[in-house]
Amino acid sequence: MPGRHFLHIPGPTNVPDRILNAMHVPMEDHRSPALPKLVLPLFAGLKRLFRTEAGTPFIFPASGTGAWEAVLVNTLSTGDRVLSSRFGQFSHLWIDLAQRHGLDVVVQDEAWGTGASPERIHDALRADAGHAIKAVMVVQNETATGVASDIAAVRRAMDDAGHPALLFVDGVSSVASMDFRMDDWGVDGIVTGSQKGLMLPSGLGICCVSPRALEAQRRAGTNAPLRRTFFDFDDMLRANKDGFFPYTPSLPLLYGLREALAMLEEEGLDNVIARHRFLAGGVRAAVLEGWGLQLCAREPKWHSDTVSAVMVPEGANGADVIRRAYERYNLALGAGLAQVAGKLFRIGHLGDLNELMCLGAITGAEMAMRDTGIAIRPGSGAAAAEEHYRQQAGEGAMARAAE
Ligand code: PLP
């Protein structure tokens, strides 16, 4: 199909040319004395990205799922109890992974379209007088429903309950695009992947853990530790301290990560976050004001700044819209997963992105919806988004991004 493909799923996201070029490198010896010059600054850059002084970052040749596993298997023992909220396919999958490792997961089900409840987390921890719960797992941005949870509020709830559980956060579709503060929010383990806010291909499972989590790792080692080989933090730490890896790393992705971190720092992390909020506002204006449709996220406090899950009207099928957008307009939209399959389509708006790219996705979705029989006023979504994007405030957000 002629013209550019419009990739608007919530990851993988568009890889900027600068990063593509940075990854275009010949292979080299991964044990050469030159490698630490590439690798050690990556750890420093990741700490700035996660906003932590005390945390220890890890880079695995994996995806977000691998980083999920790494945090759990290194810090917990067989049969440990953990508490987790479930409100979408990704929170479900992380719980499933924990259960398959023999963890005893206390699941707090929340309605899809809402997120983690700090109140319910508080109550469960308060009731756990014996401190059997070793960790709380929360997905900051549920990519399946476009719902953001308030991690700072979860931390406050844990502190109010006076409970020592570790706090593990999935930031796969929020890190490098929505606010995340590891130290301020007392996060003990943050998990992400390369293919979303970091604007890279998939292939890196990245996590960062607090000193308390590393301490728990040592304790878990003397208990009945969960099995780990590939994801063993100790093997990583031994090699990483000198700027190497215990096995063959993906050098192109490491060069890409260096470029991605440089781009994020040049724009400024606060500006990156403001840009995502601004661009998301335009997409939400298109959905709510222009098309008169609903988001899966039930209230503004749940709105995600990286992905909008658009409910299609009763009788319509989101999968038809996605197929039409792909086949006719060269636009990739995200599918509805599990219990929301067919009920929605998702517009990803994260990574290397500006207003006109969002308008392309909005217009393409609008045409695909009309083609599949959904009654939408022509141009209504784009018009609402345009009004949002022409605001003064947005000019500030985008100008800072361009500096
Ligand atoms: N967590 C969230 C919130 C995600 O969106 C995804 C993937 O989209 C994952 C975890 C799993 O990551 P990966 O597909 O990189 O293994």
Side-chain angles (χ1 to χ4, degrees), residues 35-240:
L35 202 75
K37 286 196 206 63
L38 166 67
V39 172
L40 291 172
L42 296 180
F43 295 129
L46 285 173
K47 286 175 70 168
R48 289 192 294 275
L49 177 68
F50 294 128
R51 293 187 151 145
T52 180
E53 299 269 332
T56 302
F58 294 90
I59 308 169
F60 291 100
S63 70
T65 304
W68 266 349
E69 181 160 334
V71 165
L72 298 186
V73 298
N74 277 284
T75 57
L76 299 168
S77 302
T78 307
D80 272 356
R81 185 165 298 163
V82 297
L83 175 69
S84 187
S85 315
R86 177 166 57 194
F87 42 84
Q89 182 64 1
F90 293 101
S91 38
H92 164 72
L93 288 174
W94 199 12
I95 288 167
D96 177 56
L97 186 151
Q99 288 169 334
R100 289 205 228 171
H101 277 285
L103 294 169
D104 171 14
V105 189
V106 178
V107 179
Q108 290 187 334
D109 274 304
E110 308 293 349
W112 287 34
T114 71
S117 160
E119 297 76 27
R120 288 189 70 198
I121 291 171
H122 171 272
D123 293 350
L125 294 178
R126 188 45 84 75
D128 179 40
H131 296 169
I133 296 172
K134 299 298 176 212
V136 175
M137 296 155 52
V138 187
V139 174
Q140 184 182 12
N141 189 72
E142 176 48 79
T143 323
T145 55
V147 161
S149 287
D150 184 346
I151 303 301
V154 171
R155 164 46 66 197
R156 282 194 299 277
M158 294 174 69
D159 290 347
D160 287 352
H163 198 289
L166 297 164
L167 173 57
F168 295 149
V169 176
D170 172 331
V172 174
S173 59
S174 51
V175 162
S177 34
M178 286 164 52
D179 198 16
F180 178 78
R181 297 166 187 273
M182 182 162 186
D183 286 359
D184 289 356
W185 296 348
V187 173
D188 295 294
I190 174 70
V191 169
T192 196
S194 45
Q195 74 274 21
K196 303 200 191 239
L198 282 168
M199 308 172 285
L200 290 159
S202 56
L204 297 179
I206 298 172
C207 58
C208 186
V209 297
S210 70
R212 279 186 74 223
L214 282 183
E215 184 53 36
Q217 183 219 9
R218 277 171 215 123
R219 276 202 311 277
T222 57
N223 241 338
L226 293 177
R227 300 264 169 167
R228 52 190 186 244
T229 47
F230 185 80
F231 289 117
D232 196 321
F233 281 170
D234 279 338
D235 292 344
M236 268 292 186
L237 285 170
R238 267 193 297 276
N240 283 176

Side-chain angles (χ1 to χ4, degrees), residues 22-45:
M23 291 190 302
H24 196 182
V25 289
M27 287 306 102
E28 57 190 284
D29 176 6
H30 61 287
R31 298 188 209 284
S32 85
L35 202 75
K37 286 196 206 63
L38 166 67
V39 172
L40 291 172
L42 296 180
F43 295 129

